[in-house]
Amino acid sequence: MPALLWFRRDMRLHDHPALLAAAEAGEVLPVFVLDSRQLGGPEAVSRTYLLRSLRALNEQLDGGLCVRVGEPETLIPALAREVSAEAVHVSADYGNFGRRRDAAVAEVLAAQGLSLVATGSPYAVAPGRVLKDDGTPYRVYTPFQRAWLRHGWRAPAVSSAASARWLRLRSDAIPADDDLGTLQLPPAGEVAAHARWQHFCDGALADYATMRDRADLDGSSQLSAALRFGELHPRSLLAQLGEEPGHEVFRKELAWREFYADVLWHNPHSAHEYLDARFAAMEYDRGAEAELRFRAWCEGRTGYPFVDAGMRQLQAEGWMHNRVRMVVASFLVKDLHLEWQQGAQWFARWLRDFDLASNQHGWQWTAGSGTDASPYFRIFNPVAQGQRFDPHGDYVRRYVPELQHISGAAVHEPWATTAGYTHGYPQRLVDHGVERAESLRRYQAISR
């Protein structure tokens, strides 16, 4: 009997267990549904990356991918009827929206006597699998990571385009990209993702343990978008890692992604609400002045070069170095006293790798309301962070042209703002020392 293979967060043909499961049934119709409810959302950059990844997958299938635009609850059962499929095969989706969507589709299919068959997931270890000895979920990363390692994962699935006999059906046109202006995205798709992984293995992986936090260097994998959309499976990467220090640290970074997915699985409300409910009662700034400061942060005009470089990189590339993400998030919450949800929404709009679990819980970790074992007292000094992780000032000068005339590490010095003022660079929005003390005062108020 024919089967449907419904692609979602698994935009690849290699290491694809659901593909193999569908192929066992007979001919396979490859399908992707562009959910009309999500097309109008604010995530313009990640949506454009998805559309490009979709085109790349279609090329791998020689133009045979059946793309439909609409609601899956209607389209998937209709396609199953059209080709007389016995089942619809998917990689399990553990996100909030995906779980609701899949439950709705499964209900309609069941009414037709068909089944939604989930094989594999976007993770090496599916959310909900790693638990404490007492059966409760982990709330702190380090013990989760150790248990995750002990749990282990399966070897990569051996699959490719040749693993199935593909059916063809009429396809809707893939929509045009969103207008991203001057923002430049890297190549999308499985082939490009494997090329980036090989580039990383041949270069930065060896020094990853010591150099990954350097914002001025190409020291990270930049595979977050590929993992978000499943152009690579993390299990494929883990299978190639050894025991060298760089490999060990990269393995731990993959575990962070799986930890946050696990936290969201157990706490769906934390996508938009405080994981630690105490922080909902903290004093936050609101009103016209707070809104002006938020806009300055969004535009990279805070007067703190390391913060501004990160915010401008975001709008130039749809990506930001992870160390810088933590610094700009800390600045928003603890220097500007704004709620983390405002920053998370801005990131959702601009990040090509936007992932609900990683984005929201990364923000909550920095805001002190999430999974950090010693939460609120970690207040990043934006000057010291720049001096440490952009020691020659190259990162700042790359994204803040008003400061290009200031050489070396001097670009991070307090006088750099004044020196750049005549070139259009703004004076500092706030005094970090003053606002740090104010943040701690507000934290003590909710602690009492």
Side-chain angles (χ1 to χ4, degrees), residues 77-105:
L79 286 168
R81 287 195 305 270
E82 188 170 349
V83 299
S84 301
E86 189 175 57
V88 176
H89 290 266
V90 297
S91 300
D93 192 332
Y94 289 87
N96 290 359
F97 177 84
R99 290 160 66 181
R100 294 192 300 269
R101 175 204 59 208
D102 286 359
V105 172

Side-chain angles (χ1 to χ4, degrees), residues 15-30:
D15 193 3
H16 201 309
L19 190 164
L20 296 177
E24 288 181 1
E27 292 183 301
V28 178
L29 177 67

Side-chain angles (χ1 to χ4, degrees), residues 166-199:
W166 301 102
L167 284 171
R168 283 180 175 260
L169 208 59
R170 177 193 66 81
S171 175
D172 293 343
I174 299 174
D177 293 349
D178 292 285
D179 182 7
L180 302 181
T182 60
L183 188 148
Q184 298 292 316
L185 292 178
E190 182 178 13
V191 174
H194 277 281
R196 176 64 197 178
W197 168 243
Q198 192 59 54
H199 172 77

Side-chain angles (χ1 to χ4, degrees), residues 117-128:
V117 181
T119 308
S121 79
Y123 306 100
V125 182

Side-chain angles (χ1 to χ4, degrees), residues 331-347:
F331 191 87
L332 181 80
V333 176
K334 297 173 182 177
D335 286 71
L336 302 185
H337 314 297
L338 303 177
E339 293 193 82
W340 67 268
Q341 293 94 330
Q342 287 185 263
Q345 289 173 358
W346 187 253
F347 272 28

Side-chain angles (χ1 to χ4, degrees), residues 346-376:
W346 187 253
F347 272 28
R349 175 179 175 182
W350 288 99
L351 283 173
R352 67 184 187 234
D353 60 7
F354 173 68
D355 175 270
L356 186 69
S358 293
N359 187 63
Q360 310 302 86
H361 289 108
W363 270 94
Q364 293 227 50
W365 183 90
T366 305
S369 61
T371 60
D372 192 358
S374 56
Y376 201 79

Side-chain angles (χ1 to χ4, degrees), residues 359-423:
N359 187 63
Q360 310 302 86
H361 289 108
W363 270 94
Q364 293 227 50
W365 183 90
T366 305
S369 61
T371 60
D372 192 358
S374 56
Y376 201 79
F377 303 107
R378 183 184 287 107
I379 300 176
F380 290 102
N381 183 318
V383 176
Q385 289 285 307
Q387 292 169 334
R388 181 177 178 185
F389 298 114
D390 181 30
H392 309 297
D394 295 334
Y395 177 75
V396 164
R397 281 187 293 274
R398 189 181 311 151
Y399 297 104
V400 185
E402 304 97 304
L403 300 180
Q404 287 181 352
H405 64 292
I406 301 177
S407 61
V411 76
H412 297 294
E413 296 294 338
W415 61 264
T417 298
T418 302
Y421 188 68
T422 56
H423 292 73

